[in-house]
Amino acid sequence: MLTAILTGFLFAIFLVFAGKFFRGKLAILSSLIPLGLFIYFIRFIGEIANGEIITRTYSWIPSFNVDLSFKLDGLSMLFTLMITGIGFLVFLYTSSYLKGHKYLDRFYGYLGLFMAAMLGLVLSDNMITLFTFWELTSISSFFLIGFNNDREASRKSAMTALGITGIGGLLLLAAALLLNYISGTYSISEMLTMGEAIRGNQLYPLAVILIFGAAFTKSAQFPFHFWLPGAMKAPTPVSTYLHSATMVKAGIYLLMRFSPILGGEDIWSYTLIIVGAITMLYSAIHTIFRTDLKGVLAYSTISALGILVFLIGFGTEEAYLAAAVFIIVHALYKATLFLVTGIIDHQTHTRDVTRLSGLFKIMPLVGVAAILGAISSGGIPPSIGFVGKELIYESTSKAEWMVILMVIAIVSTKILLLYAGFVAGIKPFTGKLPENLQNTKKPGIILWAPPLLLGALGIVFGIAPFLIEGALIKPLVTAMGVDASEIHLALWHGFNEVLLLSAITIGIGTALYFLIKPSAKLENGIAKLDAIAPENLLWKFNGGFKIFSQYWTRFFQNGYLRNYISTIILFTVGVVGYIMLRDGRFEIDYMRLTETTISEIVVTLVLIAGCIYTVFTRSRLAAVVAMGVIGWSICLIFVFYSAPDLAMTQFSIDTLTVILFVLVLYKLPRYLKLSDYKTRIRDGVLSTVFGVMIAMIALEVLAVPANTEIGDYYAEKAYIAAHGKNVVNVILVDFRGADTMIEISVLSIAALGVFGLMKLRLRKSERRHYD
């Protein structure tokens, strides 16, 4: 499985060197990558149908209990087949849709990265691995959404999507760390065996909130939904792949994967039901007010995702079954309609549904595909959408608050979604062909074949649902921790309440389609509420935060080093001083102190005199010399207390510092007073307080019993493990080697920067500009 995942990454790397061969006729060959992966995964469908779980584990970071663990079960099987199967059609479609594009190879590289990341995400059995691939999907989708980077709207949409999903990624990482703290493992399979213990932990609510944050941002749940309509600025293959079957379903996958671990509690169920209901109703209503075909499909996608979250919240066998079927339903009809929209845009150069009609005369096969997609979207028999709709109604009809939930389900899931499906799939192809579209060219087979195949599958699976029942649906429901042995899918269940509700839905939805025509007036009407829309509220908050950040920066980052140091010292004094006043003992054991010698008294007096002279002298050179005296006095103290290595280090540093200061002062102007009397008083008080605090810390250290465990460890291991007799050197070079290496790297970079500035020679014009 690792090889299958890496295939997409290797393909993207390969395009860096051989991309020019995939910009022309050979572009179609790129579709062999997802096709090969689809064939690879479908080979396991028999084993998965028989209840087997295929696992692969590769050691990665064993010291942190992080492995490249992958698991193929019923849940991951469905997603891998959608990722690779629809991926194959999207790759194929792209070869014609973006034919001749100068960056076609780059686009395929991004698609390959995204496909590989999605495969890694749904196959991961380790939370750190899952998080890694989760973030890779966000990064690769950023490049796909912003592919047309010469357009400001595309760049903004890409940044918005990355920002929202990036926040979710951080929340997922926090959830992984928290669940590891609770369970002691990052393995999702091991967590499945600890579900009761995890739910009983006091940190369980926090873990649930973090998982919700990750899932809701990725799967565009209210109020994080707005990034998805904005992402429609991407080329149509991106919209088809990311926003119908893959990326937006990642959050759904996460919820389904963790339902057996975290589900069953009120906080889990009620939150998902409420958020899902709000999302699907809010977004379904929005489809009425959109005239851009992609906009209609984007909001209907959000609504469909809300339905899935809603169903997962129920947590019953019927709800899981309905969710499993609806995932397939949505992937098929939404990918169909997106591809059809792309064809319309490609051939007519418009997606405005108010300007489109009669296209069936020019592209009949595309029209057939669109109508099939619309039928499945509306849940009209004999489509698989009808089966999925009845399962949704059946699962919600058993709820305690049936009336409210059924109204929400009817209004949002099917009436308005049927309307949206008809607007996107039927409206452009019926009626009279406008004069400006009379010369529209027919699309080639590579464009119309993928949506026609997907639309046809929606009908085939509806007529013969047994094709997916045992192979995909039952294994998925079993992976959710529910007994799926009694599941049976059928197109016809007889005359009952569910069938009546289906008929009402179809009737009202169809009537709505004929009564409400998409128009600019409706779109402008809803635009009046943009001021309170979540997206605009976020941008207002972002603007306010930017103003606050500018004020904060001007206040603290004002260009004066002394202010920076004063702020750091003041903060340290405040925090450390508070802790010491609260918990400090300040006890001095005079019996442990050695007798004071005349040498120590003399050196201490010299040190104090040097400090006073440094502060009050009016000569820079004298101040530098006095600072050197202070440093050398400290060297003598080290010598008195048997620390010659520290004394030599201190002596070297202080001597070098004095020399450097003298060299610098030689180039500076005469001594200037850059602070007033009050400022010097303030700095003096702050310095005195800081010094007293350091003295108190020293006294506190003396009062704490000495713990030599760490020192004994280093002393014991220095020669045995690192073959060094100087313990300090061994600690710096071996035990803290990485830290020391980073410090050396920082110093080296700083030295190079200083050297570059010293060698910089500006022309007079440049110097004036720089000043």
Side-chain angles (χ1 to χ4, degrees):
M1 275 187 274
L2 180 61
T3 303
I5 295 170
L6 292 178
T7 299
F9 295 118
L10 294 174
F11 173 67
I13 295 172
F14 171 75
L15 288 178
V16 174
F17 304 98
K20 63 180 181 180
F21 298 107
F22 288 84
R23 296 174 195 162
K25 295 181 179 180
L26 294 180
I28 196 172
L29 296 179
S30 62
S31 60
L32 296 178
I33 302 294
L35 177 61
L37 292 174
F38 178 80
I39 295 172
Y40 168 78
F41 283 110
I42 207 170
R43 294 187 305 113
F44 299 105
I45 203 164
E47 300 172 46
I48 301 301
N50 292 329
E52 297 183 29
I53 298 177
I54 302 167
T55 60
R56 300 286 188 273
T57 301
Y58 309 89
S59 180
W60 189 18
I61 314 175
S63 57
F64 287 94
N65 197 26
V66 178
D67 296 320
L68 289 172
S69 300
F70 302 106
K71 178 172 73 173
L72 185 63
D73 61 358
L75 180 58
S76 52
M77 170 60 81
L78 174 60
F79 278 87
T80 54
L81 293 182
M82 288 196 305
I83 292 165
T84 55
I86 295 180
F88 161 65
L89 297 178
V90 168
F91 272 67
L92 185 67
Y93 179 92
T94 301
S95 65
S96 179
Y97 186 84
L98 293 179
K99 184 179 180 180
H101 198 289
K102 62 179 180 178
Y103 295 129
L104 179 57
D105 55 328
R106 182 185 299 178
F107 186 81
Y108 274 127
Y110 297 154
L111 279 180
L113 287 174
F114 178 80
M115 179 182 66
M118 275 301 304
L119 286 175
L121 190 156
V122 300
L123 291 171
S124 291
D125 193 37
N126 184 287
M127 285 210 68
I128 298 299
T129 308
L130 187 149
F131 161 74
T132 302
F133 288 112
W134 182 281
E135 289 297 86
L136 286 174
T137 61
S138 296
I139 295 170
S140 54
S141 65
F142 166 77
F143 290 113
L144 286 168
I145 295 170
F147 180 69
N148 296 318
N149 52 34
D150 55 337
R151 303 174 186 173
E152 182 181 356
S154 295
R155 297 194 299 270
K156 182 180 178 180
S157 298
M159 289 297 296
T160 302
L162 181 64
I164 298 297
T165 57
I167 292 172
L170 291 176
L171 297 176
L172 179 61
L173 177 60
L177 297 175
L178 183 62
L179 287 172
N180 175 68
Y181 176 78
I182 295 173
S183 64
T185 180
Y186 287 114
S187 172
I188 299 175
S189 293
E190 292 179 16
M191 290 181 191
L192 284 170
T193 64
M194 308 177 191
E196 186 174 347
I198 293 174
R199 291 190 293 271
N201 191 282
Q202 61 181 355
L203 295 174
Y204 164 76
L206 179 58
V208 169
I209 291 171
L210 293 173
I211 290 292
F212 283 167
F216 292 168
T217 52
K218 201 80 161 184
S219 288
Q221 297 300 289
F222 183 90
F224 309 107
H225 64 282
F226 56 84
W227 71 263
L228 197 151
M232 294 300 119
K233 300 294 187 299
T236 297
V238 176
S239 303
T240 304
Y241 199 28
L242 274 65
H243 308 137
S244 63
T246 53
M247 180 178 170
V248 292
K249 295 281 184 22
I252 303 301
Y253 169 83
L254 186 69
L255 294 175
M256 298 182 83
R257 179 59 79 191
F258 279 89
S259 283
I261 302 172
L262 304 176
E265 301 294 328
D266 288 347
I267 185 175
W268 176 273
S269 300
Y270 291 153
T271 303
L272 292 181
I273 290 173
I274 293 171
V275 172
I278 293 173
T279 301
M280 64 186 184
L281 180 58
Y282 173 88
S283 302
I285 292 173
H286 264 273
T287 60
I288 298 175
F289 300 92
R290 304 297 157 182
T291 58
D292 186 304
L293 287 174
K294 274 194 174 184
V296 173
L297 294 177
Y299 278 101
S300 65
T301 294
I302 299 171
S303 183
L305 295 171
I307 295 171
L308 290 170
V309 171
F310 179 82
L311 292 171
I312 295 170
F314 270 91
T316 62
E317 176 184 341
E318 293 82 2
Y320 287 152
L321 173 60
V325 173
F326 190 66
I327 288 174
I328 298 176
V329 171
H330 179 257
L332 291 176
Y333 81 71
K334 193 53 63 70
T336 299
L337 294 178
F338 264 122
L339 293 176
V340 167
T341 297
I343 296 172
I344 294 173
D345 188 20
H346 188 269
Q347 302 302 117
T348 66
H349 307 292
T350 182
R351 297 195 304 264
D352 188 345
V353 71
T354 63
R355 300 168 56 190
L356 295 168
S357 62
L359 290 178
F360 197 90
K361 300 175 182 178
I362 295 175
M363 44 186 85
L365 292 177
V366 177
V368 170
I371 292 171
L372 293 178
I375 288 173
S376 189
S377 171
I380 299 174
S383 69
I384 187 64
F386 175 74
V387 177
K389 179 182 64 177
E390 292 217 324
L391 290 173
I392 293 172
Y393 287 162
E394 184 178 351
S395 64
T396 55
S397 64
K398 297 182 180 180
E400 296 177 1
W401 48 94
M402 184 187 77
V403 176
I404 297 176
L405 292 180
M406 287 306 296
V407 169
I408 294 174
I410 291 173
V411 172
S412 65
T413 60
K414 293 306 166 190
I415 294 180
L416 294 176
L417 289 186
L418 183 146
Y419 168 83
F422 278 19
V423 168
I426 295 179
K427 170 69 171 60
F429 295 93
T430 56
K432 183 179 178 182
L433 183 67
E435 292 185 7
N436 63 314
L437 299 180
Q438 293 287 343
N439 297 323
T440 302
K441 295 182 179 179
K442 295 182 178 180
I445 186 173
I446 296 178
L447 283 178
W448 59 257
L452 186 61
L453 175 61
L454 291 169
L457 285 176
I459 302 300
V460 171
F461 291 155
I463 296 173
F466 61 85
L467 295 175
I468 58 173
E469 176 187 307
L472 297 176
I473 302 303
K474 284 187 176 181
L476 188 150
V477 176
T478 301
M480 300 284 291
V482 176
D483 181 17
S485 58
E486 300 299 323
I487 287 178
H488 177 66
L489 296 181
L491 181 65
W492 176 253
H493 290 278
F495 293 98
N496 50 33
E497 293 179 357
V498 172
L499 181 63
L500 176 61
L501 289 172
S502 294
I504 293 173
T505 301
I506 296 171
I508 296 177
T510 304
L512 198 66
Y513 169 71
F514 287 106
L515 292 174
I516 301 178
K517 300 297 182 181
S519 65
K521 183 178 180 180
L522 284 174
E523 193 163 28
N524 293 333
I526 196 68
K528 296 178 181 178
L529 301 176
D530 284 348
I532 59 173
E535 180 178 10
N536 285 320
L537 292 177
L538 178 67
W539 284 114
K540 288 179 181 178
F541 172 80
N542 184 60
F545 186 77
K546 185 177 180 180
I547 294 172
F548 170 76
S549 301
Q550 290 171 345
Y551 172 78
W552 181 276
T553 302
R554 285 195 300 267
F555 182 79
F556 286 101
Q557 303 292 327
N558 49 33
Y560 291 100
L561 180 60
R562 62 176 181 269
N563 289 348
Y564 300 163
I565 297 174
S566 298
T567 302
I568 294 171
I569 292 176
L570 182 62
F571 179 80
T572 305
V573 168
V575 174
V576 178
Y578 168 75
I579 295 174
M580 293 186 66
L581 290 174
R582 186 188 63 182
D583 303 325
R585 288 171 290 184
F586 309 112
E587 299 175 359
I588 303 176
D589 186 0
Y590 293 98
M591 300 300 296
R592 296 175 59 190
L593 301 179
T594 59
E595 294 183 3
T596 305
T597 65
I598 187 64
S599 301
E600 294 171 349
I601 294 174
V602 172
V603 171
T604 302
L605 291 175
V606 171
L607 193 150
I608 294 172
C611 291
I612 296 173
Y613 192 81
T614 301
V615 172
F616 291 100
T617 184
R618 298 176 62 84
S619 169
R620 285 200 187 98
L621 185 60
V624 170
V625 173
M627 289 178 62
V629 171
I630 295 170
W632 294 326
S633 299
I634 295 173
C635 292
L636 292 174
I637 294 175
F638 287 150
V639 171
F640 294 157
Y641 289 93
S642 304
D645 52 346
L646 293 178
M648 290 301 297
T649 303
Q650 182 74 21
F651 176 78
S652 302
I653 291 173
D654 273 288
T655 303
L656 182 61
T657 302
V658 170
I659 295 172
L660 290 174
F661 267 124
V662 171
L663 292 174
V664 171
L665 292 175
Y666 179 74
K667 295 288 187 181
L668 290 179
R670 297 189 62 185
Y671 194 85
L672 299 174
K673 288 184 178 180
L674 298 177
S675 60
D676 56 21
Y677 181 75
K678 293 181 180 179
T679 302
R680 292 197 294 275
I681 293 295
R682 181 203 67 186
D683 294 342
V685 172
L686 184 59
S687 301
T688 302
V689 173
F690 185 73
V692 171
M693 186 194 70
I694 296 298
M696 292 298 99
I697 292 175
L699 294 176
E700 183 71 12
V701 170
L702 290 175
V704 176
N707 187 341
T708 62
E709 181 180 352
I710 296 177
D712 293 339
Y713 172 82
Y714 283 133
E716 178 185 351
K717 298 293 184 181
Y719 187 76
I720 298 174
H723 308 289
K725 295 181 179 180
N726 189 316
V727 180
V728 175
N729 289 348
V730 168
I731 292 173
L732 292 175
V733 176
D734 291 276
F735 292 107
R736 290 180 56 213
D739 183 26
T740 304
M741 183 182 68
I742 293 172
E743 290 175 355
I744 293 172
S745 301
V746 171
L747 289 173
S748 300
I749 293 170
L752 289 173
V754 172
F755 179 78
L757 290 174
M758 291 175 64
K759 293 295 184 181
L760 182 62
R761 296 290 184 269
L762 295 176
R763 299 186 184 94
K764 290 183 178 181
S765 58
E766 292 174 336
R767 192 178 296 117
R768 285 196 299 269
H769 177 73
Y770 178 78
D771 294 338

